[in-house]
Structures are given as C-alpha cells and as structure tokens.
C-alpha cells in the first residue's frame, strides 16, 4: 500500500481580506474587493428586503414579484433592452429573492463595470411597473407556481415550513400563496418597491479585476442623487417556543417517498451557528458522514439522506432529509433516530470533528474562487452583522470547536419532543399506511505522456492553496449496449466502494478527514474519478485514486444499493415534464443508436447489471491509452508528473476506444408524440438532428443556441414577453461523439399548448429562412465570451474541461481557441446551417400535458 497516512497539517489560512467599505451621503454602502487575478467582475445590488418584509401582504410574494418587474422596463429602457444592453457589454444578469434579501447581480468583464452600474441604477430607481407588463409577469409567475406544485422537493420543504412555524413569516414560501398573490395589484407592488428600495436599505458589492477609485467615481455618478428616505425596519413577530412534537404528511404524484425532520435554531449571526453547521456536516454532509454510512451504505434503505441548516438572520431550522421507497420509510426514520441519539450521547470522534472542520474551511476557500462567490461572501457577512470579517470570525469559531461543543449543540437543539416531522408519499400509499397502522490569469497547461499511454495535463495556479484532480476515460453511452446501458455510471460509483487495501468507509473518510472530497461518475462519453484537496494533500489524492482505478474489489453488497439509487434517479426524471419531453425527443431522433439512451440507462438494463458486466466495463475503460488525468492548482508540474508515474505508471496500456468517433447515421423519420403526466404544466419540445462534436458546424449551432436561450432572445421576447404565453422558453444544443441534436422547448399553461406550438414553429421557420440578425449574433458572441471567461475561475472546472477536450480528440488547448473560433462565425455562415437543420419537415415533436 502506498504511504498515504499523513499527519494533520495546519489548515491553510484564508487570504487577507482587502475589501473596502464606503458610504455615500444618502446612506448607500459600497463594498469593493479588488482581485487583479481575473479580467472579470461581479456587480451586485443587495436590497435588505425579502418575503419576510411584506407586512400586511405576507404570503403574497410581493418581494419576488418586484424582482421580476425590475427587468420589465424603466423610463430609459424597454424590457428587452435591459437584457440586451447587459449582454452587449459581455454581462450575464440574474436576480434572486429569499427571506431577508433581494439580490441583483451582473457577472461580466471588469472593463464594463461602469456600464453595469449604470444599468443597475436605472433598474433600481427607474423601473416603471407598467400595468400591462405586470399582468403578463403575474401570469409568468403563475406558471412558476405550477412548477413548484409539480416539484416534490418544493412540496416537502413548504410543508415543513408551514408545520414548524406558527407566527413567523418563514412559515410562508418566498413565492407566496397563489390565492394571496392573485389579490395583489400594481399599487401594492409599487408600494413595496417605494418602501424598501431606498439607498439607506441597500448596498452594493463589486468584486474582481477592478480599479477601486474608478469604480467609486462610477458609483457616485449613478447613485449619489438617489434620495434617502425615512425607513422604519419591519419588526418580526415572535415565534412561540415549540414544546411538543409536530407532524404532517400528504400524498404527491411521485414514486419516491420523502421525509424531512426539522428543529428550531437561532439565525445566521448567533454564536451557536458554527457548531450547528459542523454538526450538520458530521451527520449528513459528506460521503463518510454518519447518516450516509448507516442509511445508504450499510442498510441500503435510503436513496438520499442529508442534513443541513436553513436560516435567515433571525432564526431557522436544523434539518435532516431523506428519500426512499415508500416501503422503506419506517426503517429510514428508525435509523435516523439511532444515529441522532448516538451523536447526542457520545458526540463525534476527534478525527471526525477534524474532518468536518477541514471540510468547512476548504469549502470557504472554494467559494472564493469566483468573483461572484467572493462578492457574496462579503455581502452575506455585511447583511448578517454589518462586519466584513464576520465570516472569518465564524470560521475561527469553527476551528475552535471541541467534541464537547458538538454534544452540547446536539443536546440543546436536536430534542425529540421538539421535532417537526413531515413526509411526502406516493399517491395511493398514504391511506394504505394508515389502514395498516404504520481565470486566474491563464497559465500554461503542460502535457505529458506516460509510458503506458496515459495523458497527463498539469496547470500551475497558486492563487489559492487548492488542487483539483480529474482522471477521465473514454466510456459511457457510445460503448454501451441496450443490455448494459448505464453500466459506466454504476461502475464509477462501485469503484469507490472498496479496494484491495481499503473498505468503503475508509475510502469515504480519507480525503474528507483532510478537508477534501472524492468524486466518481459516468456521463455521455466517460468514466470520471476526481478529487478536490488542499495544497499538500495531492499525493494523498493520487494514491487513493490509483487504488480505486487499479485495484477495485467490487464488494457485492453494494451493487443492489447502487442499482436502487440509479433506478430512483430514472424515476425522478419522470416527475419533471421538461425532462420527460426532452428525453422522449432524444429517444425518437436517435432510435436504434446509442444516444437514444442516456448515461443513466434504463430501469431494465440497470436491474440486469452484474459484477461481471461492471468488471468488463472497468477493464475496457481504465487503460492508459484510453485516459487523461488533469491536475490543476497549487502544484509543481515536474513533481506532480513524478507522483503520477509512481501511482498510475503500472496501469495497463490497453487500446484507445474508437466508439463514436465516426459519424452516426440517423435514419429515424420525424414523428409527433402526445404524452400525459400527472402535473400542472404543459411542455412542448421540437427536436432536430444535427451534427457531432467534431463537426465544423458546431460553432454556428452554438451561436444559435446562445442567441435563442437568453432573456433578450427572439423566443423569449416573442413568446414569453410580448404574448405572455409561457413561463420558460429556450433551446439546447447537444453535440456528442458522432451525433448531435438541437431542441427548442417551451413550458406553458396546458390550455395554451396549441397556440404556443403555432408561435414556436413560426419562430423556428423564421430562423431557418433568415438565420440570425447581425445584432443577435453580436450579442450572442459577447454573452458567450463572458460566460467562457467565468468558467475559467475554478481549477476543478478547468481541469474537467481540458481533460474532456483532450479525451474527445479536440486537444486540451481547444477551450483557449474557442474565442477565436466563435468570433470568426458570421451571419452569412449561420444562415445555411439553420436552413439545413431546422426545416419544418425535420422536426420531431413531443408535447407533455396533464393526465
């Protein structure tokens, strides 16, 4: 066995906090965080008002509705121009509303921060709340209500909130209740905005490659004249102390039962929050956590189990959640009770606590890898206690936690008689139960080839003390047959369940004990094993990955549990109307070809998998010439090459897979399918066969996808904005080895499906006849490039991307060439591509509507 038992090193410290705070005379606070490592920036406006601040309109979702209306036009810009102006500056805009805040953010290039600030100021101060736009947007949000009604996770979360809270407005969902929402008018929406959207109740945070002095001049230019107003804070009602057990349960159209347990805890700023967060990790935050080991791995009764804290500034809940087959729910609940009682009685072992602390600290580092993440960390600290170093004080409390602290927190808060228990049951089963009584600046990627043919990619990035490892092998859908579909994904999960040297629990704990994480999965083209660790632990990660890849033991007890979870994932896909529509169109287009299936396989093929079929898939895939390992982060290339040779040099060379590298001939003829699903939404999908990953037309189709997928697109403006027919509308380009497809999709009121289909077909026909306009193409290029820049901020994403491109024959430098490739695309080139692939007679049509 390799020497991997390393002693605990001192945990790397957070980089210095250089953020600056400024305050304008009108009360607006500005947080600036300069980081010249990236040519990108995140500009965020935080409004200290959310669903908890709706007062007499609590439960109406006014805060969320105002967020939507902020994009619907100002005195200076129309609704479509807001998104287009941001995209023309290389920005990506979005917003979210939660209990105690509404946040508007633009991520883009640093040189355009002045423009982003001007647009945010215009939205915050100049939104018109046009009555016609409000009516259309309310209809859009009614579709959002339908989506939440269709989602079992939302249903169980809302049930827990309404049962756990009696007086506090956290008992209501952020989106509100449809009946109350329908009673709110323009005056109520505009009144919420006028009351809360004042400079002395907001703050800005700007992070990235900025010039702080220049940014402050821009802020003053656009925000100084924003008038301060008297603001009386909203006083939260006092929530009565819960002194007895509460419960609720209901049926839902789902195949999977869901259980959620909650206990009241204090809010984000409380001194006990650190202990509660770490306690949640110990119980259900990692693969080696107590609940996962007991319920998933040992007993095999839960498809998913986890624990976490959910809170606003004032108060929150400590939650344990599980998903299981309905017949196993009682066993799940009994096992959770045993695990919780053990933690209350004896607490964690010292090494468990060390692992949890390291994971919390490494997670804090990883959040800071993007400008948006850095901005959010600072803003959250400021919102919680008005201190930019609050998160650091929180992490110091985490580092000082003891086993005794964990026992005290568990005994203080996780008390059986003060538990709220809710559950969701498949339709028809509840009555039966009752009856039965139961970038950094881009560094150079260095490429090496080992003697066994394994390709190694290394990139040195010392900005943060983190290292990402990805070992990828050609596998997946192109090499699977109908009989063993899904075998790559099952095999990937099984590899981590035991080796000749280590048990499943030892594998799960090894990196987590050091604040790291192990991943393994299979997707369309590959089997992937990876790790995220802090600097100094890359040797440990490589040793573990080599064991998993070279000496898996495939312990037989784990196969049924892995199969059960994968089948649960397949069943969950059947609960989302859009996924159902997309999967069916894919099946029709690729009939008789591998891509008619997804990486999950089918219920039948997964059930039929055996140790022999999984070993065969492993033996076929994990070979030197068939793989790429990429290691990005704070490492020295020459040294890491030696370590890879040490751990993986003994891998058999084998041969490289050729599956999928030749174009697949699609012979299926267009069809029309009408599907029913016990949901409230309607979904339309038009699918067209296109080209594979290596085809020269991929960049043209990528630009069409980009141009048709954003909030400024022709589809969005025509179908959602102008006609108010849909909640969501967009496109998806699928390019795989040897084949591809393009999907147009819309989600809407089922009664409007015919009208929606008519309008979508008109738009597709116009695209086929005329291609993209020059202004559409330019916006698509700018938006795409800004997104491309953002993807380079994390080592894990970059290691994954470079490895994927190298594995699929594009070369690891392909991602660096993409801007040049995209910039060269012209409207003249796009027009014949659109005409060739989007002719009406080529359309595969699937509609999903309620039973």
């Amino acid at each position: 066995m390799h020497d991997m038992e390393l002693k605990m090193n001192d945990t790397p410290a957070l980089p210095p906090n250089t953020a600056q705070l400024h305050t304008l005379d009108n009360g607006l606070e500005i947080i600036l965080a300069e980081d010249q490592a990236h040519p990108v920036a995140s500009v965020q406006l935080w409004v200290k008002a959310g669903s908890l601040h709706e007062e007499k309109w609590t439960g109406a979702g006014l805060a969320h509705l105002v967020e939507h209306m902020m994009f619907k036009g100002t005195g200076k810009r129309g609704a479509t121009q807001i998104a287009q102006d941001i995209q023309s500056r290389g920005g990506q805009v979005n917003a979210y509303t939660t209990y105690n805040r509404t946040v508007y953010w633009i991520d883009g290039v640093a040189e355009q921060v002045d423009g982003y600030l001007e647009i945010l100021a215009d939205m915050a101060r100049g939104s018109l709340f046009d009555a016609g736009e409000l009516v259309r947007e309310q209809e859009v949000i009614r579709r959002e209500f339908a989506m939440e009604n269709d989602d079992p996770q939302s249903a169980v979360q809302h049930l827990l909130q309404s049962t756990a809270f009696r007086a506090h407005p956290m008992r209501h969902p952020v989106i509100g209740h449809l009946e109350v929402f329908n009673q709110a008018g323009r005056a109520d929406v505009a009144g919420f905005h006028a009351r809360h959207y004042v400079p002395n109740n907001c703050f800005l945070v700007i992070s990235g490659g900025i010039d702080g002095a220049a940014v402050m001049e821009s802020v003053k230019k656009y925000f100084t004249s924003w008038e301060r107003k008297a603001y009386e804070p909203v006083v939260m009602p006092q929530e009565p102390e819960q002194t007895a057990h509460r419960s609720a349960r209901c049926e839902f159209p789902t195949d999977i039962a869901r259980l959620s347990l909650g206990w009241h805890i204090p809010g984000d700023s409380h001194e006990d929050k650190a202990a509660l967060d770490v306690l949640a990790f110990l119980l259900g935050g990692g693969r080696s956590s107590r609940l996962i080991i007991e319920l998933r791995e040992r007993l095999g009764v839960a498809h998913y189990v986890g624990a976490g804290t959910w809170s606003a500034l004032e108060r929150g809940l400590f939650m344990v959640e599980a998903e299981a087959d309905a017949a196993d729910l009682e066993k799940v609940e009994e096992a959770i009770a045993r695990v919780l009682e053990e933690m209350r009685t004896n607490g964690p072992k010292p090494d468990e606590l060390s692992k949890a602390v390291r994971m919390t600290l490494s997670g804090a580092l990883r959040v800071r890898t993007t400008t948006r993440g850095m901005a959010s960390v600072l803003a959250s600290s400021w919102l919680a206690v008005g201190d930019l170093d609050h998160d650091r004080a929180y992490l110091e409390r985490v580092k000082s936690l003891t086993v005794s602290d964990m026992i005290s927190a568990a005994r203080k808060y996780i008390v059986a008689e003060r538990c709220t228990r809710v559950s969701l049951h498949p339709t028809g089963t509840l009555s039966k139960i009752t009856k039965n009584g139961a970038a950094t600046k881009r560094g150079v990627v260095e490429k090496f080839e080992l003697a066994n043919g394994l390709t190694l990619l290394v990139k040195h990035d010392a900005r943060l003390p983190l290292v990402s490892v990805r070992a990828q092998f050609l596998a997946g859908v192109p090499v699977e047959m109908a009989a063993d579909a899904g075998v790559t994904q099952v095999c990937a999960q099984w590899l981590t369940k035991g080796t000749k040297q280590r048990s499943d629990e030892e594998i799960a704990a090894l990196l987590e004990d050091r604040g790291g994480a192990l991943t393994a999965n299979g997707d369309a083209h590959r089997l992937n094993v990876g790790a995220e660790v802090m600097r100094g632990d890359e040797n440990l990660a490589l040793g573990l990955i080599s064991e998993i890849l070279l000496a898996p033991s495939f312990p037989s007890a784990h196969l049924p549990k892995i199969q059960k979870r994968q089948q649960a994932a397949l069943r969950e896909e059947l609960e989302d109307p859009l996924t159902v529509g997309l999967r069916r169109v894919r099946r029709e287009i690729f009939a008789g070809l591998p891509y008619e299936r997804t990486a999950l396989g089918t219920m039948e093929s997964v059930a039929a998998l055996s140790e022999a079929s999984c070993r065969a898939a492993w033996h076929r895939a994990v070979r030197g010439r068939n793989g790429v390992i990429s290691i990005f982060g704070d490492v020295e290339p020459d040294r890491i090459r030696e370590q890879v040779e040490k751990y993986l040099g003994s891998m058999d060379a084998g041969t490289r897979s050729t599956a999928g590298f030749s174009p697949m001939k699609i012979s299926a003829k267009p069809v029309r399918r009408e599907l029913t699903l016990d949901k409230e939404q309607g979904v339309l999908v038009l699918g067209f066969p296109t080209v594979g990953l290596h085809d020269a037309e991929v960049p043209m189709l990528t630009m069409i996808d980009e141009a048709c997928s954003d909030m400024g697109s022709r589809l969005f403006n025509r179908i959602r904005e102008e006609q108010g027919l849909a909640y969501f509308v967009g496109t998806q380009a699928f390019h795989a080895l040897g084949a591809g497809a393009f999907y147009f999709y819309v989600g809407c009121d089922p009664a409007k499906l015919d009208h929606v289909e008519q309008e979508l077909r008109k738009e597709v026909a116009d695209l086929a006849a005329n291609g993209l306009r020059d202004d559409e193409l330019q916006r698509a290029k700018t938006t795409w490039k800004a997104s491309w820049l953002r993807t380079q901020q994390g080592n894990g994403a970059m290691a994954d991307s470079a490895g994927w491109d190298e594995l699929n024959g594009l070369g690891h430098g392909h991602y660096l060439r993409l801007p040049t490739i995209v910039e060269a695309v012209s409207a003249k080139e796009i027009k014949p591509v659109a005409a060739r692939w989007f002719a009406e007679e080529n359309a595969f049509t699937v509609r999903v509507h309620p039973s």
Side-chain angles (χ1 to χ4, degrees), residues 47 49 53 55 191-198 201-202 231 234:
V47 183
H53 304 93
E55 298 169 300
F192 182 92
H193 178 269
R195 161 111 163 82
H196 297 289
Y197 282 62
V198 293
N201 193 48
C202 301
Y231 185 79
V234 177

Side-chain angles (χ1 to χ4, degrees), residues 195-258:
R195 161 111 163 82
H196 297 289
Y197 282 62
V198 293
N200 40 312
N201 193 48
C202 301
F203 62 91
L204 287 165
V205 56
I206 303 110
S207 171
I210 59 173
D211 179 330
V215 169
M216 277 306 301
E217 289 304 310
S218 296
V219 170
K220 292 174 183 177
K221 179 169 52 174
Y222 301 123
F223 289 92
T224 296
S225 60
W226 194 6
E227 185 180 1
R228 179 197 287 262
K229 294 182 181 178
Y231 185 79
E232 182 178 352
V234 177
V235 178
M236 293 295 115
Q238 189 67 31
E239 176 69 25
E241 182 180 354
Q242 182 175 341
T243 58
H245 188 274
R246 296 174 185 166
S247 66
R249 57 184 181 175
C250 66
E251 292 188 347
F252 192 86
T254 176
D255 285 340
I256 309 276
R258 287 166 172 82

Side-chain angles (χ1 to χ4, degrees), residues 121-424:
D122 187 33
M123 293 168 62
R125 304 176 58 187
S127 288
L128 297 177
F129 298 97
D130 177 78
E133 288 285 356
L134 179 61
V135 170
R136 283 189 286 272
E137 205 57 32
Q138 284 175 309
E139 183 58 30
V140 167
I141 293 178
R142 290 187 185 99
R143 289 299 92 213
E144 207 170 327
F145 274 104
M147 292 179 67
E148 292 225 354
N149 291 342
D150 286 346
D151 178 31
Q153 186 55 45
S154 294
V156 75
Q157 176 66 31
H158 294 166
L159 185 60
L160 179 65
Q161 291 172 233
S162 63
T163 307
F165 292 100
R166 287 291 182 262
H168 198 279
M170 286 181 80
R171 72 188 311 268
H172 305 287
V174 172
I175 196 174
H177 305 284
L178 183 58
E179 297 83 356
V180 187
F181 173 84
N182 286 336
Q183 298 172 37
R186 183 189 180 282
D188 309 304
V189 177
F192 182 92
H193 178 269
R195 161 111 163 82
H196 297 289
Y197 282 62
V198 293
N200 40 312
N201 193 48
C202 301
F203 62 91
L204 287 165
V205 56
I206 303 110
S207 171
I210 59 173
D211 179 330
V215 169
M216 277 306 301
E217 289 304 310
S218 296
V219 170
K220 292 174 183 177
K221 179 169 52 174
Y222 301 123
F223 289 92
T224 296
S225 60
W226 194 6
E227 185 180 1
R228 179 197 287 262
K229 294 182 181 178
Y231 185 79
E232 182 178 352
V234 177
V235 178
M236 293 295 115
Q238 189 67 31
E239 176 69 25
E241 182 180 354
Q242 182 175 341
T243 58
H245 188 274
R246 296 174 185 166
S247 66
R249 57 184 181 175
C250 66
E251 292 188 347
F252 192 86
T254 176
D255 285 340
I256 309 276
R258 287 166 172 82
L259 172 71
S260 189
L261 308 175
W263 291 265
H264 284 276
I265 59 173
D268 292 336
S269 60
H270 196 274
E271 62 182 3
D272 287 345
K273 186 63 163 49
L276 288 165
D277 286 344
V278 173
L279 179 61
F281 180 85
L282 288 164
L283 288 169
R287 289 184 63 247
S288 59
S289 61
R290 297 275 184 101
L291 289 169
I292 291 176
I293 290 294
E294 180 69 8
L295 277 77
R296 266 186 42 150
E297 306 306 330
R298 194 179 78 80
L299 298 177
V301 294
H303 304 310
Y304 161 80
V305 63
T309 58
W310 171 80
S311 58
L313 300 182
E314 301 84 6
R315 60 188 309 115
L317 292 175
F318 186 100
M319 297 189 303
V320 174
E321 300 175 306
E323 298 177 8
D325 290 345
D328 291 333
L329 201 57
E330 184 176 347
K331 297 175 185 176
V332 165
E333 200 162 357
E334 291 172 353
I336 289 173
R338 289 196 302 271
V339 171
L340 294 179
E341 184 55 35
E342 170 63 21
M343 184 64 75
R344 281 170 42 81
T345 303
N346 299 315
K349 298 174 182 177
D351 61 333
E352 281 185 285
L353 181 56
S354 295
K355 170 190 66 179
V357 167
R358 290 185 67 88
M359 287 299 292
T360 303
L361 297 174
S362 64
L365 284 169
R366 290 190 179 97
V367 168
R368 290 162 168 76
T369 59
T370 66
T371 53
R372 191 197 310 170
M374 191 67 239
S376 296
V377 166
L378 293 167
S380 297
S381 290
W382 190 247
L383 182 69
V385 295
D387 180 0
L388 294 179
D389 285 321
H390 169 63
D391 69 309
R392 293 165 179 272
Y394 162 86
L395 292 173
E396 287 301 319
R397 286 198 294 273
V398 168
K399 291 166 71 173
S400 69
L401 290 171
T402 65
V403 171
S404 177
D405 293 330
M406 299 285 75
I407 295 174
S408 295
R411 291 178 179 177
K412 181 177 179 180
Y413 294 104
I414 315 303
V415 180
E417 56 267 26
R418 296 204 294 269
C419 174
T420 298
R421 177 216 181 273
V422 300
S423 54
L424 226 58

Side-chain angles (χ1 to χ4, degrees), residues 720-735:
R720 186 185 186 276
E721 298 298 285
E722 294 178 17
Q723 299 196 356
L725 291 174
Y727 169 65
F728 60 82
V729 56
T731 58
Q732 184 182 112
F734 169 66
H735 301 294

Side-chain angles (χ1 to χ4, degrees), residues 766-782:
D766 179 69
L767 185 63
N770 302 307
L772 295 178
R773 302 188 307 272
D774 287 338
D775 63 309
E776 285 183 296
L777 177 57
Q778 188 54 50
R779 254 195 334 273
K781 289 180 178 181
T782 305

